[in-house]
């Protein structure tokens, strides 16, 4: 078997027989000799490799082009998709895309190496949002680092470009991708269309790489140059694209991207939405999935603590069998979970907030945007008759897995929001954890911050301004 | 000093000079059309290189076994120290640094060997198969241990003026203390890269992402065992450098050239980000131990500082970095008695190197910390302590290294920035905010910067250029300076355009090449436009003076009446086009090509005693920063910054503004979110942007006001009376760190100095807050 990868590149159909486990960046700079797109880090964190990607619309997601990091995007993921690079934007008119014009005029580049990625991210923003606020521009740039300019001329150029009427990207035709590309014996990339097909493949090839957005696992290819003989990608599985509210539960399919999920979080848990905008850039959110974030079972995955506090559960599917597992029981050890080798995460089930229930997610990291948490503290608190009637508290970064802190919950349930309750809660948090020291913070810092976050919560719930970013 | 090095006395009118032209490559940048070295198409049979790094911090290499790697697909050769036909020598000053580790390894990440393969992926995969057997020895990671043991990479430096010991002893107030300052990764977006193409006989062409093509040329020639004239090094542009591509590029280029020599094929060596961060040097971390004597009004009587730099495993540029730290410990303050010791501590970490400011930022941070401490101890306003110590204008007061502080704009820039920042009103508002808020606290601080311009070593202050005028009036411009994003090429082109009175578009800017302009200095020390602009001015002026003779005959006018401008050459109402004159000169057999040269006048330096006039001039700036901290988490943020920066008469105010803003944000990163973190085995764990956090767009102060001062031409005779701009504004970011200290001190109502080192990460701020709370409680209870 050998099957080409077919996609649209800068408006032109392309058919290539390269290995589907090649990164898009490597292919662009190599076979395509399109070297405007740069490699800055090969870990999806600097944005120099940004491209614009459009997939066939799904139920959950019908947006046009979205920025993605080509260094951690695999060629197999381009099947049926449309890709725009900085060169494509430059071809869009004699002077290129309007953001290219405004940036060239406004001193927005110095060394110029980050510039193509920034152009691409901002073109993606302007396509979706013709009148961005400053915070929207920062959101769009959260995954793009510039070391020269100090960003002011870039942000200004984005505003200037937004005032222009011609910032829309071309609408690409929707293509339906094939369900397998690549070559046996080299690298095969499956894109099953149904859950049944996915589970059959999973059963047949238990050691194949299960790939959602690849924003974590594809680092092995980008960085270590791993080669994957077989990949099963969840992208096109219809059943995993579900995103709906039913019976007061939000169901998030296993292939739903963070970006598609974000508006729902904004509606029901704005604090969680703020956290999600911070822990992944637009590029990461457009590819990465909530299911993938949980499946990696990272102790510092930022999705899990909030979901544990919100009492989420997972629907796990294997050939013919489904089971529902509370998320707080899902993680079994450092990067280990209860997910069996023949199982996939079909959906995450999130109960909607009840009357009197408030939710806060606090993330502490070295940088506000696009950083991994040193400590992530999440609190779901319900009040009745002036007292805390229910509480679910969970932390990330404090143990080998994201964990619930029942001792702290017990210390505050049934009490009023006062100093005594706070002291008891803080003591319980301090007694619950023995965190580690690493490059993100010492054990002492983590312990102190974790208990202090309860103090922030109390001040926050009492109506005080508690975060430096609120000023 | 011979006349050849002087700035040509030709009077040239400003036309393109002084305009805010966009960077010459701006259009190419935004369209992805600017070609960086890794963007050059591969020549047929190009090999790709991946290095083999030491995983051990210190030890003896017992054996290297590359047999498995050599058997891997696509692998063509393995290089080790034994494969170097010439000298295994990469050090810029001393002779202490190998290209490839030989017999010993001295830090994790040191390059021990390299694999060349037919693809990058194959090279990376095969490099992991090389087995290195190392007998580990005890490493040293602590600079103060090294200081105590006298373990250093280059000579200890002493800068003494007066009698600090006596005057500290007799002072009414004296304090001693310690400030620890972290290093910084350059994080240029383009990691190191070199592409080597073997030619005939001993020839080698190397495209290298370097700020110092001549040094790369010399070391490639040394490694290959050939004369310098065989090696041509070229660089059109770098994707950022910031000092990190000054001395560090030599190893990468030499390995590419060695592999090209061994295989006879073109070889490309691009460092992956994590390799770049593990294997190449950074800004020096310092520990500053001080003793200071102060009068009741805050006036210093004497200052002793032990400035201990983390040199890393070899000297590299640590000697001159320490010199610049010592010569900037005074900043804007006249210290009547000083005793500064500079020590380059040898540790088993990657060798630290040049980084924007080159020791200056660490020196200035130290004295500003001492001022903050002094003010709190004496219950004085920190700005009053500053004012009590400023070098007086017109007093002829000398620095500790005996250079008079001329052209003194300190009070001027400070008054302007205080006004721009609306200091009095905001100080009161912040004090009120702090009285009303328990969790969030604000801080405010001002600091001035005086920065010396010129390489400390006089020899390096020279530059060359090559200018050709073609018969259609178009001009080819080349000089020894390199383009790393700062806009040097644009500025120099503006200078040449005005000499010829032609449009900027008529100047072709060409890649820096050792075969066009030889024996150059690094593009560093903020000196790029001063040196190369002057050298290009001299070359163009020489050609213009030849052209004037022909024009005078043609127009029937006196030579002194000939005017160049708007693409025309005119006199007495008659004119010809510049292109016509060029053609005419050719017909009359007049050379339209000239090599220009420039050597900075007036400077001299005794590197033993650290005395002299190392700097042609000083540049001045000042900043006010306002921050907020969270006393529960230590999270912090700069809310507003106001900057005033003296630029003389700018060559290009837009590019200068870009330098000011970019340097400030970069400096802010150094002092806040950027933290280098090693584990117990000496492995740097922050080797990518996922763990090493440089500022993002949201971290820029939401209110950020920069005033470029262009009202005072440089009092020294620089090209068009401009001033250097690359490094000075980085130090203005120390205001952010001082404001963070102020915010922490607010817990004691400003009475106690904060125990806060740099970088002020959230963790350091939180522990400084905890410490301040405890001390304030003790103070209130006594």
């Amino acid at each position: 078997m050998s099957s080409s990868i077919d996609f649209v590149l800068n408006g032109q159909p392309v058919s290539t027989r390269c290995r589907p486990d090649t990164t898009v960046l490597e292919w662009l700079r190599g076979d395509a000799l399109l070297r405007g797109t740069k490699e800055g880090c090969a870990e999806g964190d600097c944005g120099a490799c940004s491209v614009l990607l459009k997939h066939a619309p799904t139920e959950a997601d019908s947006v046009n082009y979205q920025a993605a990091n080509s260094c951690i995007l695999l060629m197999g993921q381009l099947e049926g998709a449309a890709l725009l690079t900085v060169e494509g934007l430059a071809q869009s008119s004699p002077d290129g895309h309007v953001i290219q014009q405004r940036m060239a005029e406004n001193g927005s580049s110095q060394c110029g190496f980050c510039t193509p990625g920034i152009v691409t991210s901002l073109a993606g923003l302007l396509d979706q949002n013709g009148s961005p606020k400053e915070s929207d521009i920062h959101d769009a740039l959260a995954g793009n680092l510039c070391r020269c300019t100090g960003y002011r001329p870039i942000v200004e150029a984005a505003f200037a470009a937004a005032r222009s009427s011609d910032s829309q990207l071309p609408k690409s035709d929707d293509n339906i991708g094939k369900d397998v590309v690549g070559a046996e014996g080299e690298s095969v990339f499956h894109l099953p269309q149904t859950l049944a097909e996915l589970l059959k493949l999973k059963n047949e090839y238990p050691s194949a790489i299960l790939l959602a957005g690849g924003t974590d696992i594809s680092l092995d290819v980008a960085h270590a140059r791993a080669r994957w003989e077989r990949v099963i990608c969840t992208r096109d599985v219809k059943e995993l694209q579900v995103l709906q509210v039913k019976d007061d539960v939000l169901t998030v399919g296993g292939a739903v991207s963070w970006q598609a999920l974000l508006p729902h979080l904004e509606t029901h848990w704005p604090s969680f939405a703020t956290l999600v905008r911070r822990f992944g850039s637009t590029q990461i959110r457009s590819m990465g999935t909530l299911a993938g974030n949980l499946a990696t079972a990272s102790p510092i995955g930022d999705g899990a603590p909030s979901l544990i506090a919100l009492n989420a559960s997972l629907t796990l599917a294997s050939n013919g069998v489904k089971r529902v597992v509370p998320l707080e029981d899902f993680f079994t050890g450092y990067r280990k979970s209860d997910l069996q080798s023949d199982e996939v995460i079909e959906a995450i089930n999130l109960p909607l907030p009840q009357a009197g229930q408030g939710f806060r997610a606090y993330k502490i990291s070295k940088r506000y945007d696009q950083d991994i948490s040193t400590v992530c503290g999440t609190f779901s608190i319900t009040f009745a008759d002036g007292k805390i009637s229910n509480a679910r508290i969970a932390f990330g970064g404090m143990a080998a897995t994201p964990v619930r802190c029942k001792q702290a919950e017990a210390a505050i349930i049934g009490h009023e929001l006062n100093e005594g309750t706070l002291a008891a809660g803080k003591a319980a948090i301090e007694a619950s954890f023995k965190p580690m020291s690493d490059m993100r913070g010492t054990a002492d810092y983590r312990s102190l911050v974790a208990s202090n976050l309860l103090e922030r919560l109390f001040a926050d719930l009492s109506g005080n301004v508690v975060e430096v970013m609120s000023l | 000093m011979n006349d050849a090095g002087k700035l040509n006395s030709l009077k040239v009118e400003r036309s393109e000079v002084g305009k805010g032209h966009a960077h010459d490559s701006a259009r190419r940048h935004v369209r992805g059309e600017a070609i960086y070295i890794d963007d050059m198409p591969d020549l047929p049979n190009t090999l790709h290189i991946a290095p083999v790094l030491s995983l051990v911090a210190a030890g003896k290499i017992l054996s290297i076994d590359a047999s498995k790697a050599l058997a891997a697909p696509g692998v063509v050769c393995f290089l080790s120290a034994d494969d170097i036909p010439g000298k295994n020598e990469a050090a810029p000053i001393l002779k202490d640094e190998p290209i490839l580790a030989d017999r010993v390894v001295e830090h994790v990440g040191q390059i021990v060997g390299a694999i060349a393969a037919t693809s990058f992926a194959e090279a990376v995969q095969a490099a992991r198969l090389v087995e290195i057997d190392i007998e580990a020895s005890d490493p040293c990671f602590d600079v103060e241990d090294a200081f105590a043991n006298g373990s250093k990479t280059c000579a200890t430096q002493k800068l003494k003026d007066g009698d600090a010991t006596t005057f500290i002893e007799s002072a009414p107030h004296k304090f001693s203390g310690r400030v620890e300052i972290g290093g910084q990764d350059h994080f240029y977006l383009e990691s190191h890269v070199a592409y080597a193409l073997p030619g005939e006989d001993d020839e080698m062409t190397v495209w290298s992402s370097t700020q110092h093509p001549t040094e790369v040329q010399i070391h490639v020639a040394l490694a290959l065992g050939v004369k310098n004239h065989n090696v041509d090094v070229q660089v059109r542009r770098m994707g950022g450098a910031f000092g990190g591509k000054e001395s560090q590029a030599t190893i990468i280029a030499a390995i590419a050239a060695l592999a090209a020599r061994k295989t006879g094929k073109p070889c490309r060596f691009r460092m992956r980000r994590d390799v770049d961060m593990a294997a190449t040097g950074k800004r020096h971390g310092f520990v500053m131990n001080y003793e200071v004597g102060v009068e009741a009004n805050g006036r210093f009587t004497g200052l002793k500082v032990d400035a201990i730099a983390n040199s890393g495993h070899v000297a590299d540029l640590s000697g001159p970095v320490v010199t610049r730290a010592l010569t900037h410990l005074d900043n804007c303050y006249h210290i009547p008695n000083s005793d500064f010791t500079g020590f380059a501590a040898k540790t088993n970490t990657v060798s630290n190197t040049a980084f924007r400011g080159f020791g200056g930022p660490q020196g200035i941070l130290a004295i500003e910390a001492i001022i903050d401490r002094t003010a709190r101890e004496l219950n004085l306003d920190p700005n009053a302590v500053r004012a009590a110590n400023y070098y007086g204008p017109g007093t002829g007061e000398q620095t500790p290294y005996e250079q008079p502080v001329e052209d003194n704009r300190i009070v001027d820039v400070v008054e302007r920035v205080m006004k721009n920042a609306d200091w009095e009103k905001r100080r009161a508002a912040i004090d009120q905010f702090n009285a009303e808020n328990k969790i969030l606290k604000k801080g405010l601080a001002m600091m001035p910067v005086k920065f010396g311009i010129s390489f400390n070593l006089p020899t390096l202050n020279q530059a060359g250029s090559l200018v050709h005028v073609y018969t259609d009036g178009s001009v080819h411009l080349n000089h020894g300076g390199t383009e790393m994003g700062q806009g040097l090429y644009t500025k120099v082109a503006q200078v040449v355009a005005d000499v010829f009175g032609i449009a900027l578009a008529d100047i072709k800017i060409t890649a820096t090449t050792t075969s066009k302009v030889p024996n150059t200095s690094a593009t560093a020390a903020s000196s790029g436009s001063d040196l190369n602009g002057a050298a290009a001015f001299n070359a163009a002026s020489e050609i213009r003076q030849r052209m004037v003779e022909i024009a005078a005959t043609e127009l029937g006018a006196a030579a002194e009446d000939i005017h160049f401008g708007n693409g025309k050459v005119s006199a007495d109402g008659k004119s010809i086009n510049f292109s016509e004159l060029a053609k005419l000169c050719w017909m009359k057999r007049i050379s339209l090509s000239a090599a220009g040269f420039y050597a900075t006048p007036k400077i001299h330096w005794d590197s033993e005693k650290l005395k002299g006039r190392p700097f042609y001039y000083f540049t001045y700036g000042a900043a006010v920063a306002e921050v907020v901290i969270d006393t529960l988490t230590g999270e912090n943020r700069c809310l507003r910054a106001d900057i005033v920066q003296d630029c003389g008469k700018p060559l290009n105010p837009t590019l200068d503004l870009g330098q000011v803003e970019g340097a400030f944000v970069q400096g802010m990163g150094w002092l806040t979110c950027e933290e280098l973190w090693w584990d117990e085995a000496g492995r740097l764990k922050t080797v990518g942007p996922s763990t090493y956090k440089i500022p993002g767009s949201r971290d820029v102060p939401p209110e950020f006001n920069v005033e470029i001062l262009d009202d005072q031409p440089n009092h020294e005779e620089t090209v068009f009376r401009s001033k250097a701009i690359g490094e000075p504004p980085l130090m203005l970011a120390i205001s952010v760190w001082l404001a963070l200290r102020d915010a922490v001190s607010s817990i004691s109502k400003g009475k106690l100095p904060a125990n806060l080192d740099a970088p002020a990460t959230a963790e350091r701020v939180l522990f400084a807050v905890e410490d301040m709370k405890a001390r304030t409680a003790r103070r209130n209870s006594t």
Side-chain angles (χ1 to χ4, degrees), chain B residues 575-586:
Chain B
S575 72
I576 56 170
N577 287 333
F578 180 79
S579 55
E580 289 167 344
L581 178 60
K583 186 83 170 275
L584 201 58
C585 289
W586 171 74

Side-chain angles (χ1 to χ4, degrees), chain B residues 543-584:
Chain B
I543 298 170
R544 173 168 141 169
Q545 281 159 335
R546 291 181 212 144
M547 295 176 87
V548 162
E549 300 300 321
I550 304 300
T553 312
E554 181 69 14
L555 298 173
E560 56 270 26
D561 295 334
I562 303 287
H563 175 258
F564 285 65
N566 297 317
K568 291 189 187 319
V569 181
S570 51
D572 305 336
K574 289 179 287 185
S575 72
I576 56 170
N577 287 333
F578 180 79
S579 55
E580 289 167 344
L581 178 60
K583 186 83 170 275
L584 201 58

Side-chain angles (χ1 to χ4, degrees), chain B residues 96-133:
Chain B
D96 59 342
E97 183 175 6
I99 297 163
L100 295 169
D102 190 8
R103 294 188 294 280
V104 294
V105 290
E106 296 200 291
H107 72 92
V108 176
Q110 187 172 0
I111 304 177
V112 178
I115 292 285
T118 52
S119 77
F120 183 68
E122 286 164 334
V124 169
Q125 286 158 350
R128 284 198 290 263
L129 303 176
V130 176
E131 290 165 5
I132 310 168
D133 190 11

Side-chain angles (χ1 to χ4, degrees), chain A residues 380-384 386-393 404-418 420-422 424-425 428 454 457-458:
Chain A
S380 175
I381 307 288
T382 308
F383 284 95
K387 286 182 178 166
I388 298 167
S389 59
N390 195 12
R392 286 180 67 95
I393 299 175
R404 191 174 161 192
C405 188
K406 289 184 185 167
Q407 298 92 320
E409 294 168 7
I412 65 170
I413 289 174
H415 297 279
E416 288 174 13
L417 217 54
N418 61 30
T421 310
L422 176 61
L454 192 69
L457 176 78
F458 277 37

